[in-house]
Amino acid sequence: MAEKLVTSEGLFTMVEKLLGRAQVTAPREENGIAVFGPVNSAGQVELDGPLPVIPEKSVVFPQSETLLRMDLGGEVPKVEAVEPEGEQVILGVRPCGLQAFARLDRVFLEGAFVDPQYRRRRDHTLIIALTCPTVKRSCFCRAFGYGPSDGSGADLQLTRLPGGSFHLETLTERGGEFVAEMEKEGIAGLTDAGAEAGSAARAEKARVERLAERSAAAVSTEGVVEGLDGMYDDPYWAQLAERCISCGICTYLCPTCHCFDICEKARGPEAERYRCWDTCLFSNYTLMAGGANPRPTVRERLRNRLYHKLNFFNHRYGEFLCVGCGRCVEHCPTNIDIRKVMAKAAARSRAQGVSVNG
Amino acid sequence: MGRSEAAARPEAAVSDAGPAAGLYLPSPATIQEVRLETGAADVRTFKVTLDGQEIGKDFIYRPGQCAMVSVFGVGEVMLSLSSSPTWTTHLEFSVKNAGKVTSTMHGLAPGARLGVRGPLGNWFPYESLQGKDLLFVGGGIGLAPLRSLINYVIDNRDRYGKVEIIYGARSPQDLCFKSEIFETWPKAPDTEVFVTVDRGDADWKGKEGFVPAYLEELAPSPVGKVAVICGPPIMIKFVLQGLEKLGYSDEQVITTLEMRMKCGVGKCGRCNIGHKYVCVDGPVFNLAQLRALKGEFV
């Protein structure tokens, strides 16, 4: 695992080089908030800001993408599948974003049906992670067994050092090739990391891990799945639903929510079938053509979303579909807090344990 | 109807065949014939061929499986295959006029082009049902998926025991597959068909009443039998109660479910019942499996 040291000017030059050959997505400011979004100049990249409100998800799973293109003018419809094109780089991915990609991989790549769009995007995306420079009060990644310095799943990992330079670790072969290319380009400010930079990076990682430990201190996953197993008909869901206004912001800001709608748009003989993000909190999500709706009220819909995150996904894939990024906690307009749902489930599990054991 | 002995036993695995040209790209298909099923004209059966594909060879399916059917420019819907895999000349979809895609379909004539993605989902356990007596209980358009298995069983008659079919609709006008329920099936060996309507009309000389009541009256014994049911939620609810009263265990009751679907391949998320997806883990479940799931169904 090669370790490099790169100055912020060096990194700026690297991003400029990247812009010439790939679509680059990075944290940047948009309308006064930090988001992950496409950048067209290195100056837009804001690596020191807080956790971006809009997550990295759209790089591999865009909010809207064309699946089929159709020409319906002739006697026989001409229909073709649309493949995503080009190379992508995502810079500054947070560890929670990496964890989220791993969850999305399970949905889109596992089993008999591999999603071709997702596969293409995933294969053509270079992932450069960033050790979180700050930790928010809403962060609870540590409850899920990883922390703000965990670069698992990235090709490269940047850690901002107190002096302003970045420690750059190569984590995969693809990451190594990228660094080799940059070295060949003769990027000023890109050098081998000495022992000092290495230990500074370790110290920085330890610092943010301690912060994250503190912010997640009251959150635990223990007993959550088991507790929810016995809580499906609990009055709690109706109480929680009274507060939910079904705005869907939790879904749209969630790095792991993967549910989508497939729609058609036709203009003259040309038509397109596309998919776009959807949320199980909307009433028409499960509304059938005949008028029946198996999830008729907010209670069933909110319960479904929380169970998908904290129970159903576990029963299907063996892990949570929540990575503790805290976005839904921070942005829910009615303060529905998934950490409290976890605590409630854990308490139920303990109560069940007591009654079972005696 | 073209029936081939060779295709009576589809052997190849289905879901692991994978998509040839893209997961969301339908195969081109053509409507060969449209048959009006109900007097109210809200159910039509579409006989469909797949362009350049042989059914039973290139498109192998089992009774109870579904497919996503596209009307290009309008959209795509999940439909159960109401034909039996023993018929190799064409597929059939029996479609109620309910939403945007199905209402457009209802306006299509022979020669019109469709797209088909599939087959998708699991199937009725037609292999483990061999040697058993079968009770089919259907309501309205709910007979469509059962019809695939009923015709499969009739085409492989010696492998299955006695067949009883209880079928009901709101009115005589609403009965689907009339030539089968009144002619083909009653003439098949060891096969009985019991038809009822909620309310008859001047010409109706048959049974009147709801399906669950007819079930209770006929009281088919659960011994050596499996019940396969499909219909509107309210019918299912009372049929399940009726079967339980008659002594059917949860393992002896099989149903096929419907949810709104978009992708059909377990990605888009909307058809879950608990942690199972109706599109890939279903649509066929036995009652014991359903009771073990958290979720909203029937």
Side-chain angles (χ1 to χ4, degrees):
Chain A
M1 214 167 48
E3 293 183 32
K4 300 282 171 189
L5 188 67
V6 59
T7 61
S8 36
E9 293 77 15
L11 187 61
F12 187 96
T13 317
M14 281 165 70
V15 175
E16 288 291 331
K17 297 263 180 211
L18 280 171
L19 284 166
R21 53 190 188 193
Q23 171 67 61
V24 179
T25 297
R28 63 181 175 91
E29 204 191 275
E30 191 176 288
N31 303 323
I33 56 168
V35 302
F36 273 99
V39 292
N40 46 37
S41 81
Q44 288 174 291
V45 179
E46 264 295 345
L47 290 177
D48 295 325
L51 179 75
V53 173
I54 295 177
E56 304 88 337
K57 178 169 73 178
S58 60
V59 173
V60 288
F61 176 46
Q63 187 158 4
S64 174
E65 80 179 308
T66 305
L67 299 175
L68 304 178
R69 205 164 280 138
M70 305 170 235
D71 175 358
L72 309 175
E75 195 195 324
V76 181
K78 287 195 197 80
V79 184
E80 55 172 26
V82 177
E83 277 254 310
E85 289 170 355
E87 299 296 315
Q88 304 189 102
V89 176
I90 176 155
L91 174 67
V93 181
R94 301 300 186 90
C96 52
L98 298 171
Q99 294 286 323
F101 285 166
R103 302 303 191 285
L104 296 175
D105 285 353
R106 307 212 58 184
V107 173
F108 288 109
L109 303 178
E110 251 182 40
F113 300 110
V114 174
D115 188 279
Q117 264 76 11
Y118 183 90
R119 174 86 269 170
R120 172 68 177 64
R121 284 207 163 79
R122 199 73 171 83
D123 288 347
H124 290 263
T125 302
L126 179 79
I127 297 175
I128 306 175
L130 175 71
T131 301
C132 292
T134 56
V135 172
K136 287 186 155 186
R137 280 199 312 189
S138 51
C139 291
F140 58 111
C141 49
R142 288 291 297 236
F144 292 96
Y146 74 100
S149 70
D150 188 344
S152 313
D155 296 304
L156 297 151
Q157 182 177 2
L158 291 163
T159 303
R160 177 75 112 171
L161 301 180
S165 290
F166 290 90
H167 179 256
L168 176 64
E169 274 168 279
T170 302
L171 303 172
T172 64
E173 206 175 307
R174 177 155 59 177
E177 284 163 15
F178 169 74
V179 171
E181 274 172 53
M182 289 296 127
E183 283 179 321
K184 228 163 85 187
E185 300 253 5
I187 304 278
L190 175 63
T191 53
D192 287 342
E196 203 180 314
S199 66
R202 280 191 294 281
E204 171 62 8
K205 288 178 180 181
R207 181 186 72 85
V208 292
E209 289 292 341
R210 278 194 303 275
L211 291 176
E213 183 101 20
R214 220 173 299 152
S215 76
V219 194
S220 166
T221 56
E222 205 184 317
V224 170
V225 177
E226 299 74 9
L228 288 174
D229 278 340
M231 269 178 79
Y232 198 70
D233 296 313
D234 198 279
Y236 177 63
W237 306 113
Q239 288 161 19
L240 208 56
E242 278 176 21
R243 276 161 57 193
C244 177
I245 58 170
S246 303
C247 68
I249 197 72
C250 50
T251 306
Y252 285 88
L253 298 182
C254 179
T256 65
C257 268
H258 62 80
C259 295
F260 60 85
D261 194 2
I262 297 180
C263 306
E264 207 111 330
K265 62 179 172 202
R267 195 174 293 153
E270 283 177 12
E272 209 178 277
R273 184 169 293 168
Y274 65 98
R275 70 168 158 207
C276 54
W277 295 351
D278 201 353
T279 171
C280 57
L281 291 174
F282 291 169
S283 62
N284 63 0
Y285 184 76
T286 47
L287 179 66
M288 289 191 270
N293 194 340
R295 292 181 210 139
T297 73
V298 183
R299 170 182 170 268
E300 293 84 29
R301 299 195 279 269
L302 181 62
R303 178 176 63 183
N304 182 73
R305 182 171 186 280
L306 291 165
Y307 265 80
H308 193 196
K309 297 282 154 202
L310 304 173
N311 180 279
F312 295 161
F313 199 79
N314 302 70
H315 285 302
R316 196 168 183 88
Y317 293 106
E319 54 188 338
F320 288 96
L321 191 62
C322 174
V323 294
C325 75
R327 289 182 178 91
C328 58
V329 174
E330 198 181 355
H331 296 283
C332 175
T334 63
N335 290 324
I336 291 173
D337 188 334
I338 195 168
R339 298 172 303 182
K340 290 187 181 160
V341 177
M342 291 169 70
K344 184 97 181 167
R348 176 62 54 92
S349 165
R350 284 194 297 275
Q352 284 163 357
V354 169
S355 66
V356 169
N357 300 327
Chain B
M1 263 164 214
R3 297 180 185 201
S4 151
E5 287 302 311
R9 267 179 162 183
E11 301 289 353
V14 181
S15 53
D16 53 5
L23 193 58
Y24 302 108
L25 183 67
S27 302
T30 306
I31 297 177
Q32 299 300 339
E33 194 185 314
V34 183
R35 195 170 58 234
L36 198 60
E37 294 291 353
T38 55
D42 66 342
V43 178
R44 283 181 160 86
T45 292
F46 296 83
K47 288 176 73 163
V48 171
T49 51
L50 301 176
D51 305 354
Q53 285 194 66
E54 271 185 58
I55 290 148
K57 204 169 134 198
D58 308 309
F59 185 96
I60 297 167
Y61 70 105
R62 276 82 177 243
Q65 281 196 292
C66 299
M68 290 297 283
V69 175
S70 283
V71 180
F72 294 116
V74 182
E76 197 176 33
V77 283
M78 185 70 102
L79 298 172
S80 58
L81 284 145
S82 68
S83 47
S84 163
T86 46
W87 311 347
T88 55
T89 54
H90 64 276
L91 306 172
E92 289 191 6
F93 298 100
S94 302
V95 184
K96 192 173 173 107
N97 182 345
K100 197 168 66 172
V101 176
T102 53
S103 65
T104 311
M105 265 184 96
H106 271 240
L108 296 178
R113 309 291 176 151
L114 298 173
V116 173
R117 275 201 297 137
L120 298 168
N122 70 352
W123 46 84
F124 292 118
Y126 66 99
E127 284 168 317
S128 63
L129 290 177
Q130 289 188 17
K132 293 201 167 71
D133 291 347
L134 299 171
L135 168 67
F136 292 93
V137 186
I141 184 67
L143 188 57
L146 304 185
R147 176 182 180 244
S148 179
L149 180 59
I150 293 170
N151 283 314
Y152 180 88
V153 167
I154 287 175
D155 288 345
N156 294 279
R157 196 65 199 88
D158 54 341
R159 298 196 199 139
Y160 297 89
K162 184 180 168 178
V163 171
E164 293 159 284
I165 301 162
I166 305 175
Y167 177 52
R170 278 170 302 180
S171 76
Q173 297 282 298
D174 291 306
L175 292 166
C176 296
F177 315 115
K178 289 188 189 68
S179 73
E180 282 157 305
I181 59 175
F182 292 124
E183 290 165 40
T184 320
W185 296 343
K187 282 183 199 150
D190 208 10
T191 303
E192 284 184 283
V193 184
F194 305 95
V195 179
T196 181
V197 295
D198 297 354
R199 209 169 302 146
D201 56 20
D203 299 328
W204 181 252
K205 298 194 172 51
K207 180 87 181 164
E208 274 191 25
F210 295 130
V211 167
Y214 204 7
L215 171 73
E216 204 166 329
E217 182 188 322
L218 292 164
S221 155
V223 177
K225 194 172 292 173
V226 170
V228 188
I229 67 177
C230 186
I234 189 75
M235 184 207 91
I236 297 281
K237 186 179 167 189
F238 291 108
V239 165
L240 290 179
Q241 290 175 7
L243 290 171
E244 198 177 347
K245 254 189 254 171
L246 291 169
Y248 287 76
S249 72
D250 289 350
E251 286 78 13
Q252 276 175 289
V253 179
I254 296 170
T255 189
T256 172
L257 300 180
E258 167 177 69
M259 286 284 270
R260 189 171 194 189
M261 295 183 192
K262 289 286 180 173
C263 75
V265 289
K267 318 283 184 213
C268 83
R270 75 193 58 231
C271 69
N272 73 296
I273 293 177
H275 68 284
K276 298 286 186 189
Y277 286 120
V278 174
C279 66
V280 288
D281 303 314
V284 176
F285 296 92
N286 71 33
L287 195 52
Q289 291 167 327
L290 286 181
R291 289 206 204 278
L293 290 177
K294 287 173 202 59
E296 301 81 10
F297 70 92
V298 300

